[in-house]
Amino acid sequence: MEYLKHQLIDKKKAKEVLGELLEDQTSWEDGKKTAGAHAAKLKENQQLQRKSETSLKASKTIINKIQSDPLIKSYTLPRKIHGVMFSKTISSQGYGIHIDNPYMSSGRSDLSFTLFLSDSQDYEGGELSIQTMQENKKIKLSSGQIVIYPSTSLHSVEKVTRGQRVVCVGWIQSYISSNEDRSFLFGLEAGAKGLLAKHGRSAELDLVFQSYSNLLRRLGD
């Protein structure tokens, strides 16, 4: 699985968070301030100052949601969720194709995520474009939905042509740095849980869960 799409928070909560972010009119700054020299040439957006009270409160809410979500935990095997920030992109703005830094001051970037706070019908353009092995996948989700994808992927944000796009972005340092190994483990655990739900516990299934746990020990950092 090259990326995961999931409803992290309901639309009501997304609207509540969005309202609090936009109500803070003093903490938004040029997004170029958090970009490297090359990325700054491609980046046109605004970001909420990470240390602002509004950002800290919203970040805590979203990190707690990610950490407590069973599907996301299984897919990402999160060791650390870091670098969380809020981005606002208005008409004629976007972010050209780039790759995230492998190591940041806050941690290693194994997986990147975008949580959509603005509803997809409230703006035009602004798709997250991820280059996969097969295609250039454009993703635009409803409010409260999150997409998680390997930080090794080239990606961009298409220019917004109407309205404004507000999202939360951040990174996950996983216990398993390899995308391929994480994919194997995710499939193995999902299959074992499916068999458990369908047939109940068995000695054979105990061996599968044992193998999963020991693989996690062997492959983990």
Side-chain angles (χ1 to χ4, degrees), residues 127-164:
E127 296 88 352
L128 173 64
S129 183
I130 304 173
Q131 286 193 8
T132 69
M133 291 289 291
Q134 299 289 332
E135 60 181 333
N136 192 22
K137 183 68 177 178
K138 293 186 178 182
I139 299 173
K140 185 176 182 180
L141 304 179
S142 298
S143 57
Q145 290 187 313
I146 191 171
V147 58
I148 305 173
Y149 57 97
S151 298
T152 52
S153 305
L154 286 167
H155 58 283
S156 62
V157 177
E158 302 292 319
K159 283 190 178 293
V160 172
T161 58
R162 178 187 66 83
Q164 63 180 9

Side-chain angles (χ1 to χ4, degrees), residues 6-20:
H6 183 57
Q7 188 78 41
L8 180 67
I9 57 177
D10 60 37
K11 287 193 173 186
K12 181 180 179 181
K13 183 61 179 178
K15 185 176 181 180
E16 178 185 319
V17 173
L18 177 62
E20 291 176 354

